[in-house]
Amino acid sequence: MAEAQSTGGASGKMVIRNIGLLLSGDLERPILDADTIVVDNGRIAAVGKAKSLDASGAKVEVDVKGTVIAPGLIDSHVHPVFGDWTPRQSQLNWIDSFLNGGVTTMISAGEVHLPGRPRDVLGVKALAITAQRAFDAFRPGGMKVHAGAPVIEKGMVEEDFKELAAAGVKLLGEVGLGGVKTGDEAKRMVGWARKYGIQSTIHTGGPSIPGSGLIDKDVVLEADADVIGHINGGHTALPLDQIRCLCEQCKRAIEIVHNGNEKAALFAMRTARELGELNRVILGTDSPAGSGVQPLGILRMIAMLSSLGDVPAEQAFCFATGNTARMRKLDSGLIEVGLAADFVQLDKAQHSAGKDMLESVRMGDIPGLGMVIIDGQIRCGRSRNTPPAETVAEAKSH
Ligand SMILES: [Zn+2]
C-alpha cells in the first residue's frame, strides 16, 4: 500500500507524444491543435506540435499512439469519510476505483456518512479540520481529495467561520443536510463563509436519506450558495419549473450529479444551453450514497449528456474538467502551461459502434481508459473498470 499513498509531484521531465486528439477542458476551445505535451516537475511546461517543442532530456516518454488526452476528470460532489473507505456501503478502495474511472480530483460536499457524526458546533469544526488534514496528507492512488467540508448547524457564529478558514477549511458541506434548513439562516452563514474564502454548496431537492430534508427553489435562491448542488436532485428533483427558475435567477454553478434524476439532469443542461450559460454546468457523482459508489459515474454523465442531450462530446468533457476547475478555483482541469499535469488517456472502447472516441461518446458509449497521470506521475495504466480501450498508451523511462 506504500505506493498508493505516495504524494507530491514528479521531478524531472515527461513528454507525452503522438496525441491524436487533445481535449482542452475549455468550452471556448474544447479541442487544441497540438500533438505533444511537455511536463516539468509535475506541471505543464509546453503544449504544441512535436517539431516546435523541446522534448529532449525527458525522463519519461509516453506514446499515446494517436489516441486522446484529456485533463483529469473532476468529481464536484463526493461524500468521503476517512481513508479509502466508505461506511455508507461498507466499501474499501472506492477512491482508487474512481481513479480507474479517470477522476483525478474530488470535492467533498460534506463528510456526512461518518457514523455518529457530531452535530454540536465544536464537533462540526473538529471533524472538518480533521478531514481536511487527513485527505491533504493521504492521497489514494494520487487522487486529490479536497475534503473537510463542515455541514452547518444552528448556533454557528461568524467567529466559527473565521476560525475554520484560518485552520485551512475551504469548503462548506451541503447546506441543508444539517440543522440549518431555512433560507435566511443559510444566507447568513453562507455569507460569513464567503467572507472568509470558504466556498459553499447547497443541497437541492427532496431529502436524500432519512434525516435530511426538502430544499426548494426559494431556499436555494435566498441562501445564494456558490454551487446549486445536485440541481437534478439527490435523488428527488424539484419540479422542472423550479429548476428552470434556478438556472435563470441564480447565477451560481449548476451542478448535475449521477445519483440524481436523469430527466431533470437533461432539463437543467438544456436550460443552461438555452441561456447560453453552459460554462456554469459542472458534474459530480454525489457518491458514496444510498445508490452506491460509481467509479465510472463522471464518464457515464459525459456520455449521457452528450448522447441524450445532443452536446458534442468534446463540450461534455468540459463540464467535468475546465468548468469545474474554474468554478472551484483549482490549478488543474485545463490543458494550460503552468497547471498541474493531470491527464487521462482515452480511446473508444473495443467494439463500440462509434468510429472514434468522440463519436462513441456521442452515441452513448463510455470510452476506454488507458492511462491516468497526476502531477506528472503515471498512476494507472489500462483501467480495471472501464470497458477496454482499443489502444492504450505506452510509457518508457530513461
Ligand atoms: Zn444532497
Side-chain angles (χ1 to χ4, degrees):
M1 285 304 285
E3 195 186 21
Q5 291 179 32
S6 77
T7 57
S11 57
K13 193 165 168 179
M14 169 188 266
V15 175
I16 301 169
R17 61 168 88 254
N18 294 328
I19 301 171
L21 176 74
L22 182 54
L23 300 181
S24 71
D26 181 0
L27 261 187
E28 298 292 311
R29 193 165 65 126
I31 295 175
L32 294 176
D33 183 23
D35 59 16
T36 305
I37 300 174
V38 180
V39 173
D40 207 4
N41 288 316
R43 300 259 148 195
I44 301 172
V47 181
K49 295 283 191 189
K51 59 182 180 309
S52 61
L53 296 179
D54 174 19
S56 61
K59 278 191 183 165
V60 179
E61 270 182 84
V62 177
D63 182 355
V64 176
K65 301 180 179 176
T67 62
V68 182
I69 289 285
L73 307 178
I74 304 165
D75 188 332
S76 174
H77 193 130
V78 294
H79 290 296
V81 172
F82 285 121
D84 200 351
W85 164 68
T86 171
R88 174 56 61 184
Q89 302 300 346
S90 296
Q91 203 166 330
L92 292 169
N93 299 327
W94 69 276
I95 296 174
D96 187 70
S97 274
F98 274 61
L99 180 81
N100 279 264
V103 174
T104 56
T105 297
M106 296 178 159
I107 312 287
S108 175
E111 294 75 39
V112 291
H113 299 317
L114 179 75
R117 169 166 66 96
R119 304 294 177 117
D120 63 295
V121 175
L122 189 61
V124 166
K125 290 194 289 185
L127 172 59
I129 294 165
T130 305
Q132 186 276 327
R133 298 283 190 281
F135 280 107
D136 196 46
F138 176 70
R139 288 175 49 182
M143 181 77 75
K144 299 169 177 175
V145 184
H146 296 261
V151 174
I152 54 176
E153 296 286 352
K154 286 175 181 294
M156 291 181 82
V157 296
E158 180 172 345
E159 192 61 26
D160 294 318
F161 294 86
K162 190 177 174 186
E163 199 183 338
L164 283 165
V169 170
K170 295 187 173 66
L171 300 161
L172 282 194
E174 284 176 70
V175 174
L177 293 189
V180 175
K181 298 194 193 292
T182 61
D184 56 339
E185 219 173 355
K187 180 188 173 149
R188 195 164 56 240
M189 293 191 190
V190 162
W192 286 329
R194 190 171 286 136
K195 179 174 171 184
Y196 296 105
I198 298 175
Q199 202 176 67
S200 54
T201 296
I202 190 160
H203 173 94
T204 308
S208 38
I209 47 175
S212 72
L214 166 72
I215 301 288
D216 66 10
K217 76 139 173 40
D218 294 327
V219 178
V220 176
L221 284 173
E222 187 171 5
D224 194 31
D226 297 303
V227 176
I228 308 170
H230 54 60
I231 194 166
N232 59 319
H235 283 270
T236 312
L238 294 174
L240 298 184
D241 60 335
Q242 291 201 28
I243 291 176
R244 170 176 291 280
C245 182
L246 287 176
C247 290
E248 286 172 356
Q249 291 180 31
C250 174
K251 289 300 170 191
R252 306 292 183 179
I254 296 169
E255 186 190 74
I256 298 174
V257 301
H258 184 277
N259 288 346
N261 175 321
E262 286 164 320
K263 184 180 171 110
L266 286 162
F267 180 82
M269 192 277 292
R270 290 187 178 118
T271 306
R273 183 167 56 195
E274 268 172 52
L275 295 169
E277 294 176 354
L278 279 181
N279 61 321
R280 289 170 60 202
V281 175
I282 64 177
L283 306 184
T285 52
D286 191 6
S287 75
S291 46
V293 170
Q294 290 81 25
L296 306 184
I298 297 295
L299 287 172
R300 285 169 52 82
M301 294 285 294
I302 290 170
M304 191 273 281
L305 292 171
S306 178
S307 58
L308 299 181
D310 294 319
V311 173
E314 63 271 26
Q315 287 186 19
F317 273 94
C318 298
F319 302 161
T321 54
N323 278 7
T324 321
R326 284 184 177 141
M327 170 61 218
R328 299 291 193 175
K329 301 183 172 66
L330 303 174
D331 69 344
S332 60
L334 292 156
I335 304 295
E336 275 178 20
V337 170
L339 295 184
D342 298 353
F343 312 117
V344 291
Q345 180 255 322
L346 304 165
D347 194 13
K348 73 167 183 161
Q350 291 173 12
H351 301 290
S352 166
K355 70 176 187 310
D356 54 26
M357 195 284 283
L358 290 181
E359 190 182 279
S360 73
V361 170
R362 189 69 186 203
M363 292 170 75
D365 285 335
I366 56 172
L369 188 143
M371 186 177 282
V372 177
I373 295 170
I374 302 180
D375 292 332
Q377 283 186 44
I378 297 169
R379 301 295 187 156
C380 81
R382 187 189 283 284
S383 167
R384 61 182 158 87
N385 288 333
T386 67
E390 216 161 59
T391 303
V392 301
E394 256 176 56
K396 255 193 291 186
S397 301
H398 298 286

